[in-house]
Amino acid sequence: MTMQRFILNKVKGTKELLQKIIKTFKDLNPVSIAQFGSGTYGFRDEFSDLDLWITFPDERINQFVLDRVKIYEDIAPILIRHESPKNSPIGGRYTLVIYETEFGLFHVDYYLAKESNLVTMDYLENDFKLLFGESHLPKGKWKTDQT
């Protein structure tokens, strides 16, 4: 496989994986799905990961935290799954997932958060993109178990 073909496969695979993730989570009726990090506004390269902050109503977050592995498995086959409690939103969960797809391996960082902790990153940093949900979200620093 040539480098050009590799890059095209990774870009196509990233787009397809992101669309599958959005569809899967939209079906669960979250408050919002947001992407942040280097891939948000075109800074992505073929090795960039996907960073996703998915917010649920407070009264439903515990069920999604319990069901998270099944949700992730419904998206694509998982090669590696790792959780770091210190990176978890308060009352939610952080999970790093590496998926194995026909287009290669893809790294996704999921942050499942409850609505009462919902804030968006500063738009001036061009580091945040709302993929689904409310567009009038409060701005500020995200609250994780390490803050």
Side-chain angles (χ1 to χ4, degrees):
M1 175 184 299
T2 66
M3 181 57 92
Q4 182 178 8
R5 187 75 178 138
F6 171 80
I7 292 169
L8 290 173
N9 274 346
K10 289 293 284 186
V11 170
K12 181 177 181 181
T14 300
K15 288 178 183 178
E16 287 188 15
L17 181 61
L18 182 58
Q19 289 308 308
K20 176 82 187 235
I21 292 167
I22 293 168
K23 181 189 179 326
T24 298
F25 278 98
K26 275 175 69 174
D27 290 347
L28 300 173
N29 298 312
V31 173
S32 66
I33 302 170
Q35 181 180 7
F36 64 99
S38 63
T40 305
Y41 287 103
F43 301 107
R44 175 184 307 138
D45 64 28
E46 62 274 14
F47 300 107
S48 292
D49 64 348
L50 292 170
D51 299 296
L52 301 170
W53 188 279
I54 303 158
T55 304
F56 292 98
D58 286 14
E59 65 275 5
R60 295 175 49 220
I61 187 67
N62 289 338
Q63 189 59 50
F64 291 106
V65 168
L66 290 173
D67 295 342
R68 70 192 178 283
V69 175
K70 173 73 171 102
I71 295 167
Y72 303 148
E73 289 173 341
D74 286 346
I75 292 167
I78 295 174
L79 181 64
I80 297 171
R81 180 177 56 85
H82 174 74
E83 298 188 333
S84 177
K86 72 176 184 171
N87 291 338
S88 293
I90 296 170
R93 186 62 56 116
Y94 162 79
T95 308
L96 175 155
V97 175
I98 297 180
Y99 289 109
E100 185 171 19
T101 75
E102 65 180 293
F103 297 103
L105 303 179
F106 294 90
H107 169 176
V108 180
D109 290 319
Y110 290 103
Y111 297 81
L112 302 182
K114 60 184 186 177
E115 189 172 12
S116 62
N117 286 338
L118 175 64
V119 294
T120 65
M121 294 182 86
D122 185 349
Y123 286 99
L124 297 176
E125 295 177 24
N126 289 328
D127 200 23
F128 172 88
K129 182 177 182 181
L130 186 67
L131 302 174
F132 172 80
E134 299 182 24
S135 62
H136 59 283
L137 307 173
K139 296 179 186 174
K141 287 194 148 232
W142 285 342
K143 300 172 186 172
T144 65
D145 282 340
Q146 69 180 359
T147 54

